[in-house]
Amino acid sequence: MWSTDRNTMRAVFYDAWRHFKEQTPLTGVEALIVEALVAHPEYQPLFDDGRPSETIDPTAGSGTNPFLHLGLHIAIAEQIATDRPPGVASEWQRLQGLWQDAHRARHAMMECLEETLWEAQSRGIAPDDSAYIERLRALGTGGRKK
């Protein structure tokens, strides 16, 4: 999955969905992709034809890039599994318990991650793990509205 070529990266999403539909074993990252796709049926038709297309505009109509959105789901799942940066897993537990909605909690975390990544990219620096964790801690406390 880790490539600099957009079509190669996108092919992993198509392969994961095809493997799921064919009920063949999934790799670790494929399982994460499928979990995110199952939670987002609005994206499934894009993957139903089974092959990536260079001509597809994934944001047409919705304004959301499903590859980016699904990739953020994967990033959050990996962060939770590894507790990287430290504290992210406990924030996940808190948010999931607070809202009783895992998908909502992931989406809120994804917004914090997007903000942290945007900030780093715009400044040309590495993402600030402390700022990210503080954004997560503010969720559900009145510091941020979700």
Side-chain angles (χ1 to χ4, degrees):
M1 172 169 192
W2 316 119
S3 168
T4 57
D5 178 68
R6 180 178 68 178
N7 291 326
T8 300
M9 289 188 308
R10 288 182 175 181
V12 176
F13 289 83
Y14 285 90
D15 290 344
W17 191 241
R18 180 177 46 83
H19 292 158
F20 172 72
K21 291 181 84 171
E22 293 172 353
Q23 299 182 335
T24 58
L26 301 173
T27 65
V29 74
E30 286 178 336
L32 293 174
I33 291 168
V34 167
E35 179 183 344
L37 268 167
V38 167
H40 285 284
E42 70 274 20
Y43 296 152
Q44 293 171 12
L46 176 64
F47 298 93
D48 281 338
D49 72 358
R51 64 186 188 287
S53 171
E54 292 182 33
T55 61
I56 289 176
D57 177 4
T59 63
S62 71
T64 300
N65 182 328
F67 297 100
L68 173 60
H69 188 84
L70 296 169
L72 287 168
H73 269 282
I74 293 165
I76 294 297
E78 290 289 324
Q79 288 181 338
I80 293 166
T82 60
D83 195 29
R84 299 280 301 159
V88 76
S90 62
E91 287 306 309
W92 158 251
Q93 290 295 328
R94 182 184 66 82
L95 293 169
Q96 188 178 16
L98 179 68
W99 292 323
Q100 299 297 303
D101 184 339
H103 196 237
R104 179 179 179 196
R106 283 188 189 103
H107 274 232
M109 292 176 75
M110 287 164 52
E111 288 181 22
C112 292
L113 179 58
E114 285 178 296
E115 188 175 343
T116 302
L117 293 174
W118 179 87
E119 185 177 75
Q121 185 177 19
S122 68
R123 292 181 177 174
I125 60 173
D128 184 339
D129 290 347
S130 297
Y132 174 51
I133 295 297
E134 286 306 311
R135 285 181 175 109
L136 294 175
R137 287 185 179 138
L139 292 171
T141 65
R144 291 175 77 107
K145 295 185 180 179
K146 286 290 128 208

